[in-house]
Amino acid sequence: MSAQDVAHTRHKKCLLRGQWQLVKTVNNGTPHIITKDEYDGVITLRCLHRYQEEVIYEGYHWIIKGRWRAYRRRADLEFTRLEYVSGAPPAGVLHDIHFSLYRLDKQHWSGNTETKAEKIQMEYEKIPLTRKAPKAH
């Protein structure tokens, strides 16, 4: 799937809502599979464009809240108005995050972003909802 295909995907907002786990990054052409015990990063995209990311990494734990936006005719996803609710930010100023999506379906989304002038590809996988069993009478 190309970015052009993602740009014309209908109901991008509906596909993106939910909880997503980071599963893979590609930095400087080198792929890195992410395991949950190594880096537990969960993004929750909620209704009314609210966003929350909870990360547990190398003894650090932080929660970031903000807003998200997916554009109708572009393959773009943005996280804006970010603020740390819990934990301290890493060195540097927290900026808006812009992804150029190149894959989007019910179970995965992938995009390119830049941090510190480095291009990084990130792939997320949907976390399935766990339903509670009905109570026995």
Side-chain angles (χ1 to χ4, degrees):
M1 179 178 271
S2 70
Q4 191 68 18
D5 295 332
V6 172
H8 295 293
T9 301
R10 297 188 67 168
H11 311 295
K12 276 194 280 276
K13 293 177 189 175
C14 295
L15 288 173
L16 285 165
R17 280 192 201 123
Q19 289 190 321
W20 300 89
Q21 176 78 43
L22 180 65
V23 293
K24 181 180 175 184
T25 63
V26 178
N27 190 356
N28 293 329
T30 306
H32 179 68
I33 305 298
I34 307 292
T35 59
K36 194 171 175 81
D37 61 338
E38 172 188 5
Y39 179 95
D40 189 9
V42 176
I43 290 180
T44 306
L45 302 178
R46 298 183 176 155
C47 296
L48 303 175
H49 300 280
R50 289 175 297 153
Y51 150 84
Q52 178 175 311
E53 181 175 15
E54 184 170 2
V55 176
I56 300 171
Y57 176 65
E58 292 185 348
Y60 296 100
H61 179 226
W62 61 86
I63 298 173
I64 305 166
K65 287 188 176 182
R67 307 286 284 175
W68 68 276
R69 180 175 183 182
Y71 292 88
R72 181 177 289 175
R73 292 182 179 93
R74 296 188 339 219
D76 294 340
L77 172 64
E78 289 184 341
F79 299 113
T80 60
R81 294 192 242 168
L82 306 176
E83 64 177 77
Y84 277 82
V85 175
S86 174
V93 179
L94 187 65
H95 298 286
D96 294 348
I97 301 168
H98 175 89
F99 283 100
S100 296
L101 299 175
Y102 61 87
R103 179 180 179 189
L104 175 60
D105 59 41
K106 290 182 181 181
Q107 297 303 317
H108 300 89
W109 70 263
S110 303
N112 298 316
T113 189
E114 283 192 33
T115 59
K116 298 180 184 175
E118 289 184 28
K119 290 186 178 184
I120 299 174
Q121 296 175 354
M122 302 177 92
E123 183 175 315
Y124 287 84
E125 188 173 274
K126 189 132 193 179
I127 298 173
L129 293 174
T130 55
R131 297 183 186 256
K132 294 182 181 179
K135 295 182 180 179
H137 295 299

